Amino acid sequence: MRNVPVRAFRSALRMMQSTISETSILPSTLLPKFRSQLQSFASSSSTFHIVHTIPSIPSLQQHPLKTLHVLDSSFNPPTRAHLHIALSALHSQAPKPQRLLLLLATQNADKAPKPAAFEQRLAMMTLLAQDVQTQYAAEIHQDEGAQVLAVDVGITNKPYYHDKATSIEESSFYTDAKTGQQPQQVHLLGFDSLIRLLDTKYYPPEHTLAPVEALFGRHRIRVTRRTEEGNKWGTPNEQDKPREALANGERGAEGGKTDWAERIEMVDGESEAISSTRVRESVNAGAWKDVEKLVGRRVREWIQKEELYKESTVKR
């Protein structure tokens, strides 16, 4: 596949950066659109829907896609930890071309939809997408042939990872029109999400790991370890044990397969504990200096403008 010429790429990069600067004010105008799309989605039979994509430069979007990174979270709000996870994945050795999907589940296996409304989260996810593009473009701007990164903001009503992966596939949104090829999905998980993914209590009535075959059979997961001092999950070696249990056949009686371990990549996270709960508590306490350390500037300004999280510290 022919690479994008340097001059064309740099021109597109300037266009993208200009677009990102201009679209920093877009979420206010997009809120009604997001609200309408959420209502339509709720009353439809669809299980997955893209509500927004940035930037839009079709001539420089190389196809077919090889890798779709999927960052699925409650984004309540998006934090610098989300930014780190996304950028780390984009700089990994995953096959290119690649694309990023920020995915919000309107139904969650463990969490109720509060305190921020879904349309507010979609607005903040759009701001996170802009932050990802700005930083990623700055980090790869000297690479000849580097493509302009497209970031999608999407919603699903499926609470489980294997169902989400299937819904993305069946939507055909990422299917190449000429070849019918689908990109491999790389689902970006925190360590706590890996624990839930491999917990059979979420898969009634048989309570086995058989349903997860829909995910591991075709796709991969990239797990960010908790590395901050004193975290409840233990050392990196201790956090590798769920993967090792699969590799050693210890989960075989529950339907786990040894080759799934080869589709799990473990990587280190940041040394500071950053969580959406901590952001909400800091906002509620008026500790804006702490908030600045936990979220990007665009998200912080949006939280202040919309007066989010002022009365709730509901843990998520």
Side-chain angles (χ1 to χ4, degrees):
M1 181 175 294
R2 183 177 61 86
N3 285 335
V4 179
V6 175
R7 182 176 298 177
F9 170 71
R10 288 177 177 169
S11 174
L13 177 60
R14 288 192 295 271
M15 185 187 307
M16 184 191 76
Q17 292 171 329
S18 173
T19 300
I20 289 174
S21 176
E22 293 170 0
T23 55
S24 294
I25 61 171
L26 275 182
S28 352
T29 63
L30 286 176
L31 275 178
K33 171 189 171 182
F34 290 156
R35 192 174 298 115
S36 174
Q37 291 194 65
L38 284 163
Q39 292 170 349
S40 297
F41 181 70
S43 61
S44 74
S45 59
S46 298
T47 59
F48 169 73
H49 178 66
I50 297 296
V51 300
H52 196 58
T53 299
I54 54 175
S56 179
I57 310 177
S59 63
L60 291 179
Q61 292 178 0
Q62 300 175 351
H63 291 285
L65 285 175
K66 297 294 185 181
T67 303
L68 176 67
H69 301 283
V70 182
L71 179 50
D72 171 24
S73 177
S74 58
F75 296 107
N76 197 18
T79 68
R80 292 188 184 276
H82 292 117
L83 178 63
H84 170 80
I85 290 171
L87 289 170
S88 175
L90 291 167
H91 287 299
S92 71
Q93 297 302 310
K96 309 295 189 293
Q98 62 184 343
R99 190 166 176 143
L100 174 65
L101 167 63
L102 303 177
L103 185 63
L104 174 66
T106 57
Q107 293 186 33
N108 190 292
D110 290 321
K111 302 175 181 179
K114 58 183 181 180
F118 286 138
E119 60 265 27
Q120 289 283 4
R121 299 192 210 179
L122 292 173
M124 290 186 285
M125 289 163 68
T126 300
L127 295 172
L128 173 63
Q130 294 171 359
D131 286 340
V132 171
Q133 288 178 327
T134 299
Q135 191 160 330
Y136 182 71
E139 292 169 352
I140 54 88
H141 73 281
Q142 293 181 334
D143 293 350
E144 180 177 350
Q147 73 173 125
V148 176
L149 176 72
V151 182
D152 302 305
V153 174
I155 52 177
T156 180
N157 56 17
K158 295 295 185 180
Y160 301 113
Y161 285 103
H162 62 281
D163 288 331
K164 293 170 185 177
T166 300
S167 293
I168 292 169
E169 287 181 341
E170 293 178 347
S171 74
S172 298
F173 185 86
Y174 297 102
T175 304
D176 183 70
K178 293 182 179 179
T179 66
Q181 178 179 329
Q182 287 259 8
Q184 182 176 72
Q185 299 173 27
V186 179
H187 288 256
L188 311 179
L189 279 61
F191 180 75
D192 55 338
S193 295
L194 174 65
I195 296 299
R196 290 196 296 271
L197 175 68
L198 298 177
D199 190 336
T200 57
K201 79 176 184 180
Y202 292 107
Y203 310 119
E206 289 82 7
H207 295 286
T208 72
L209 291 175
V212 188
E213 173 67 26
L215 176 63
F216 285 116
R218 297 182 294 279
H219 305 297
R220 306 180 64 87
I221 66 172
R222 192 171 199 265
V223 182
T224 300
R225 301 184 188 95
R226 299 293 294 269
T227 56
E228 69 273 14
E229 185 176 352
N231 80 83
K232 67 178 182 179
W233 301 111
T235 66
N237 286 340
E238 289 173 319
Q239 292 178 56
D240 288 346
K241 289 182 178 179
R243 180 184 179 277
E244 293 171 357
L246 282 172
N248 296 335
E250 298 172 27
R251 304 296 301 272
E254 300 167 283
K257 297 184 178 180
T258 57
D259 60 355
W260 290 357
E262 300 173 5
R263 307 184 77 81
I264 301 175
E265 179 185 8
M266 305 293 296
V267 299
D268 286 338
E270 296 186 299
S271 59
E272 182 182 2
I274 297 178
S275 70
S276 295
T277 298
R278 186 177 168 193
V279 176
R280 295 195 300 271
E281 291 173 344
S282 296
V283 171
N284 195 53
W288 290 104
K289 289 186 178 180
D290 291 337
V291 175
E292 289 177 3
K293 299 176 183 178
L294 302 173
V295 303
R297 174 185 57 80
R298 292 181 174 103
V299 172
R300 174 182 57 79
E301 291 176 351
W302 182 261
I303 291 172
Q304 289 179 300
K305 175 179 177 294
E306 295 294 309
E307 299 184 337
L308 301 177
Y309 310 122
K310 284 296 185 67
E311 299 177 355
S312 177
T313 55
V314 177
K315 290 191 177 182
R316 295 290 300 276

